[in-house]
Amino acid sequence: MENLDSTDIKLLTLLQQNSNLTTKEIASKVSLSTTPVFERIKRLEREGYIKKYVAILDAEKLNQDFVVFCHVKLKQLNTEIANNFTASIKEIAEVTECYNISGHFDYMLKIHASNMKQYQDFIINKLGRLDSLGSLESVFVMDTVKQDYKINI
């Protein structure tokens, strides 16, 4: 954060709200010309403050609004097993997020499916085939109260 000034923070905030803004539109909002805005954005990308730009899709319209948080405990935990597990998880499309967590479980997965049947198929034919899997607990989302992808800076 020490490399960021107030204009950089404004740029990041604007891009979080709408990454589809043109450089000209952003420049008018931060009171700069387009060239310095373009250069600042490129620097923020280069330095890793901006990881990538994505479109946020409507899971309901795409029939993928059955959301489950799956808590996973591995049979045993060491570097090799953890690395193998995370490598496998990265290849499973239904898993949209994966966190290594503390507490009773080792990992928390966020899974999008179309319905309970598809989730059951995922558990049996994908997650259940991982040798390192010890146990799991599924938590089903009944309603999304807040879903925000912005980081408060």
Side-chain angles (χ1 to χ4, degrees):
M1 282 283 297
E2 65 268 359
N3 296 337
L4 301 179
D5 63 17
S6 62
T7 303
D8 291 331
I9 302 242
K10 286 179 190 173
L11 290 172
L12 292 171
T13 301
L14 286 167
L15 288 169
Q16 283 190 108
Q17 291 168 352
N18 183 359
S19 65
N20 207 27
L21 291 171
T22 66
T23 305
K24 185 177 178 179
E25 290 169 327
I26 295 169
S28 71
K29 293 178 185 287
V30 297
S31 303
L32 288 175
S33 63
T34 57
T35 300
V37 166
F38 177 80
E39 290 171 355
R40 280 176 178 261
I41 291 171
K42 289 300 171 198
R43 177 180 55 82
L44 292 167
E45 291 169 352
R46 230 181 7 263
E47 292 177 359
Y49 291 99
I50 299 171
K51 289 179 143 184
K52 65 180 176 178
Y53 299 93
V54 299
I56 300 169
L57 306 180
D58 186 320
E60 185 175 1
K61 288 186 179 192
L62 297 167
N63 194 30
Q64 292 294 307
D65 59 330
F66 188 79
V67 179
V68 184
F69 286 94
C70 183
H71 299 108
V72 174
K73 184 160 189 67
L74 301 181
K75 288 179 186 174
Q76 182 182 357
L77 190 59
N78 64 40
T79 304
E80 183 182 347
I81 291 169
N83 288 343
N84 290 340
F85 176 79
T86 56
S88 296
I89 290 300
K90 289 176 183 178
E91 299 300 318
I92 301 174
E94 292 89 347
V95 178
T96 58
E97 297 177 48
C98 175
Y99 301 96
N100 180 216
I101 59 173
S102 64
H104 184 67
F105 293 97
D106 300 313
Y107 293 91
M108 182 173 68
L109 314 177
K110 182 178 181 183
I111 294 109
H112 280 264
S114 59
N115 54 40
M116 180 64 83
K117 189 74 174 159
Q118 186 185 15
Y119 179 67
Q120 180 185 25
D121 182 69
F122 161 79
I123 292 296
I124 293 169
N125 295 311
K126 291 189 180 177
L127 199 58
R129 292 183 188 262
L130 300 179
D131 291 334
S132 57
L133 183 68
S135 64
L136 62 88
E137 178 180 296
S138 299
V139 179
F140 302 98
V141 174
M142 295 188 310
D143 187 26
T144 301
V145 176
K146 180 179 181 180
Q147 187 175 35
D148 198 348
Y149 301 98
K150 297 181 296 197
I151 295 174
N152 187 24
I153 50 178

